[in-house]
Amino acid sequence: MNALTSDRPGWPRGLQTVLAPPRAGLKRRLLGAAAALALWLAAWAGATVLDHHVDLANQAMLFVIASVMASIWLPAPAAFAFALACTLSFDWAFVPPRGSFGVGLERHAVLLTAMLVVSWLIAGLVARLRAQAAAARDAARWAARLQAVGEALRDSADPLQQAEPVAQ
């Protein structure tokens, strides 16, 4: 048995295994969705309590914070959709005229646009950070694999025999 065909637990069997992105299980996705829903409900409740006590921009911040925090748990497409849902639900319930997606004042349109842009920007940055972290993990795995091959070749009495699986 050589370093390339090691049957030690946790060691990948090939390049595709090493370079494959980690997959989130169903349980993790459901927990992320539940956390996002809880954040949305908390933002909704907070905005309802603060209604008529603070201005619209302060209420909007609750939904932006919920969207930003949800982008930590949600995959990128879901985070973008969640940000849009937060913005639309805020528009429907709190922006005059209430109960419609219409906007009465230009400053409210600017507020909604800024709210959506900031939420999408943060969701995009989180997605990019995740991609960079995955690339770093892949590079670390690849470096460990190359180190194991190098050590096996160095310690071997017959390096050509150890390198045989690489050539195949």
Side-chain angles (χ1 to χ4, degrees):
M1 190 78 27
N2 63 35
L4 296 176
T5 58
S6 174
D7 57 357
R8 287 189 276 180
W11 277 64
R13 288 246 175 228
L15 181 61
Q16 290 178 348
T17 305
V18 171
L19 298 178
R23 294 188 179 136
L26 179 62
K27 183 177 179 181
R28 184 174 175 165
R29 280 186 253 148
L30 289 175
L31 284 174
L37 181 61
L39 287 169
W40 179 80
L41 288 172
W44 186 277
T48 302
V49 167
L50 294 175
D51 199 18
H52 303 298
H53 297 290
V54 297
D55 65 338
L56 216 49
N58 289 327
Q59 288 175 290
M61 290 307 296
L62 295 173
F63 287 91
V64 171
I65 291 169
S67 175
V68 166
M69 290 180 64
S71 68
I72 294 169
W73 296 296
L74 297 175
F80 286 116
F82 184 76
L84 181 62
C86 280
T87 303
L88 290 176
S89 65
F90 175 72
D91 181 20
W92 181 268
F94 299 103
V95 177
R98 293 179 185 223
S100 73
F101 291 115
V103 179
L105 298 173
E106 185 179 316
R107 66 183 172 161
H108 294 157
V110 171
L111 173 66
L112 292 170
T113 302
M115 181 179 168
L116 187 60
V117 167
V118 167
S119 296
W120 277 357
L121 180 66
I122 298 296
L125 289 173
V126 169
R128 187 170 177 193
L129 182 62
R130 278 191 192 134
Q132 289 175 347
R137 279 191 304 273
D138 291 342
R141 278 191 220 119
W142 183 248
R145 189 96 166 123
L146 288 176
Q147 182 179 3
V149 169
E151 289 173 359
L153 291 174
R154 181 193 67 212
D155 296 340
S156 173
D158 186 11
L160 289 177
Q161 181 186 8
Q162 291 288 324
E164 221 172 80
V166 175
Q168 294 174 357

